[in-house]
Amino acid sequence: MADMKRRDKIRQAIDASANLTAEQVDKILEAVMQTLNASANELRQRSGPKHSAIDVEYVRSQLSYEPETGLLRWRINWMRRQIGSIAGNLRPQDGYIRVGLRGRAYMAHRVAWLHYHGRWPEAEIDHINNDRADNRITNLREATRQQQLWNTRRAKNGLKGTHMAQDGRWMAQIKLNGKSTHIGAFKTQGEAHEAYVARAKKEFGDFVKVG
């Protein structure tokens, strides 16, 4: 559609500036379009690597990764970067470390995963101990969005998954796929919490924080 509109505008400009036959206009038009498309392809090739996803070969050429400490270090000298210096900056707003590569800011934990495993994570990356700056490979695991949330949520009333009903009983409930699911009613908050924990572990396994 964009090419058709471009052709029409060029055709109008040619018709207005010269007295040519339709065949001559078509030939000129075809030559102009080929030139424009070639220029566009060249521009995409020049700018593409800056904005396209980086691969493991590029990352390993630029950075080393220490699985035991979680640190990424530069392997190049360029501008402020020195070989062996720690790569990335901590962002206080969210606690994550970001590292700049090819003009883009990447999450350091995702770059670490790519460097170590040789592939980008298929899902999100969860920090097991909830320290977002701790990028040791033993502290990183792939997780769905909901699994990651289950590893970060905290109880507001002391014991997670419980609340007191108007009749004084303790209700146990769990959120599954964005909806609250009733588990049962109990005499004590402790009993309600135990029921919640059992159901949560069944649904989410090791990702559950039960405190």
Side-chain angles (χ1 to χ4, degrees), residues 66-87:
E66 301 171 0
E68 299 81 7
T69 65
L71 296 177
L72 292 164
R73 295 184 182 274
W74 292 112
R75 300 185 64 183
I76 60 170
N77 288 319
W78 185 69
M79 296 182 67
R80 297 181 180 180
R81 302 171 182 175
Q82 300 295 323
I83 294 178
S85 62
I86 296 175

Side-chain angles (χ1 to χ4, degrees), residues 17-35:
S17 61
N19 186 17
L20 302 174
T21 66
E23 184 178 355
Q24 289 173 323
V25 171
D26 287 339
K27 287 183 178 180
I28 294 173
L29 183 61
E30 188 64 29
V32 171
M33 291 302 298
Q34 288 178 358
T35 301

Side-chain angles (χ1 to χ4, degrees), residues 181-193:
T181 300
H182 180 70
I183 298 175
F186 304 87
K187 293 181 178 180
T188 68
Q189 186 182 20
E191 290 174 336
H193 181 61

